[in-house]
Amino acid sequence: MGGVLSFGEGKGDDAPAIAVTMRDVRCAMLNLDPDSATPAPEMMKAVVRANQNNAGIYGTVTRIGRLAVGQTIFLRASEKRDRG
C-alpha cells in the first residue's frame, strides 16, 4: 500500500511516524451506533460508498515521539523501489 503518516511539525526525521501497510476492509463494528450499540446499517453503507468498502488502514510505527491533540498529520507518498 505504501505511504507514511507523520505527526506534527517535526523537523525532518524527528516527527513521530507510521508506515501505512494495508487497508482495513470494513469491520462489523461499523454496524453499531457508538452511543447506543444498536444496529446502524446506514453507517456501513456510507463506508462502502465513500471508501470502496475500507474502514481505515493498518500501520507500523517507524518513529516514536510525542503526540498532541490537534497536531497536524501529513501523508507522504512512499518511495517507489525498483524491483528489477
Side-chain angles (χ1 to χ4, degrees), residues 5-49:
L5 296 171
S6 61
F7 298 82
E9 301 292 333
K11 306 270 192 289
D13 290 336
D14 65 348
I18 297 174
V20 178
T21 57
M22 65 186 281
R23 289 180 176 92
D24 180 10
V25 178
R26 67 187 171 126
C27 171
M29 294 303 291
L30 290 176
N31 283 326
L32 300 177
D33 180 296
D35 296 322
S36 65
T38 58
E42 66 277 2
M43 182 61 99
M44 180 64 75
K45 290 175 186 173
V47 167
V48 169
R49 272 193 312 272

Side-chain angles (χ1 to χ4, degrees), residues 80-84:
K80 301 228 181 209
R81 293 195 171 121
D82 183 14
R83 295 188 177 169

Side-chain angles (χ1 to χ4, degrees), residues 3-7 15-20 57 59 62-63 73-76:
V4 175
L5 296 171
S6 61
F7 298 82
I18 297 174
V20 178
I57 58 171
T62 57
R63 196 168 36 253
I73 302 172
F74 299 94
L75 174 61
R76 287 183 311 168

